[in-house]
Amino acid sequence: MNFTIERREVEIESTFSPRLWHLVHDVPVLYEALLERLANIGLSDTDLRPEAGNGSVGGTGLGFWLLGGKVHVHVRLDSLRLRTSALTADVLAAADGVVAALQQSSRNALRFRTHAFSCACHGLIEGMKAAEFVGQFVPRPPAMEGLGDHLGTGVAYYFGEAPPTVSSTLTLDASQAVQDGLFVRVFAVMDGTAGTIPEIHALAEERVRTALASVNLETT
């Protein structure tokens, strides 16, 4: 069945080993690497916004937007988080530039421990409402007296290790953003084998397509 995505949010959070100590020590080296690597897409020193967090060392962070607001980057001592509506070619290139800058500032000592990938989509299934679609997987709701009529059903499936994936989850529910639409979220935790954003994207894309195909959904 064809699934037409109308809204989407993608998030990648990668954890570091060792920690990115340049975020609190020798900060100009980190900033200069970011400005050098991302100057071609318009990043300037006025875009970089340091965060003190809760005042602890671990709460220190750095946030900035790239590509006119298409992707948000948040760097912490132990992780890098990217949020965007779609991993298009320009977003992938920009994100990879961020990783290159972090590695440059740490003199290539920075490595990834894990990658957590989330793709949350709202869209329409051709010829079928979301409630009917999800109802295939949970055909009979429990009888619950005194709680009102049954209004809908959601399901979540959890899967174990399949290297390089450590674990993954597929969630199906009625969309709160698209009328009669379906909400689908694919979440996967991967080991640190992938070292670049395009490599992470390739693994994640395969996982999303596999998850959708498992419930007979296709999308571009």
Side-chain angles (χ1 to χ4, degrees):
M1 289 178 284
N2 185 50
F3 178 53
T4 302
I5 297 173
E6 297 196 0
R7 290 182 57 178
R8 169 175 47 201
E9 182 175 272
V10 178
E11 181 175 307
I12 297 174
E13 184 165 2
S14 301
T15 57
F16 303 138
S17 179
R19 289 175 172 80
L20 187 67
W21 289 111
H22 279 67
L23 191 60
V24 293
H25 174 70
D26 208 2
V27 175
V29 173
L30 171 61
Y31 289 0
E32 196 60 41
L34 287 166
L35 293 170
E36 176 187 329
R37 292 277 184 172
L38 302 170
N40 63 319
I41 56 172
L43 183 71
S44 71
D45 50 9
T46 59
D47 297 318
L48 301 176
R49 300 188 177 278
E51 302 168 358
N54 58 9
S56 68
V57 173
T60 304
L62 174 68
F64 54 93
W65 292 90
L66 294 173
L67 301 172
K70 289 178 68 174
V71 55
H72 184 258
V73 180
H74 189 240
V75 183
R76 296 188 61 181
L77 196 65
D78 62 350
S79 63
L80 165 68
R81 186 181 66 205
L82 304 166
R83 285 181 176 171
T84 183
S85 61
L87 289 172
T88 55
D90 57 343
V91 170
L92 288 172
D96 214 34
V98 174
V99 172
L102 298 183
Q103 291 173 332
Q104 176 183 322
S105 67
S106 61
R107 298 180 182 178
N108 295 318
L110 191 69
R111 298 291 183 271
F112 291 120
R113 287 194 301 113
T114 61
H115 305 290
F117 175 86
S118 171
C119 181
C121 305
H122 299 264
L124 294 168
I125 305 170
E126 186 175 4
M128 183 178 291
K129 294 183 178 181
E132 181 183 357
F133 177 80
V134 178
Q136 299 175 100
F137 305 100
V138 188
R140 183 182 301 172
M144 303 285 284
E145 292 186 8
L147 292 184
D149 295 334
H150 174 251
L151 300 178
T153 298
V155 296
Y157 297 105
Y158 303 92
F159 303 92
E161 188 173 7
T165 303
V166 178
S167 63
S168 54
T169 304
L170 171 63
T171 303
L172 305 171
D173 205 345
S175 170
Q176 300 300 309
V178 176
Q179 185 175 1
D180 296 328
L182 178 71
F183 170 77
V184 180
R185 181 174 183 257
V186 179
F187 176 78
V189 177
M190 299 173 280
D191 62 28
T193 304
T196 67
I197 295 297
E199 289 173 349
I200 298 168
H201 172 249
L203 290 171
E205 185 176 45
E206 184 276 332
R207 177 55 57 188
V208 170
R209 290 190 182 281
T210 299
L212 292 176
S214 71
V215 290
N216 195 30
L217 291 178
E218 294 182 359
T219 184
T220 55

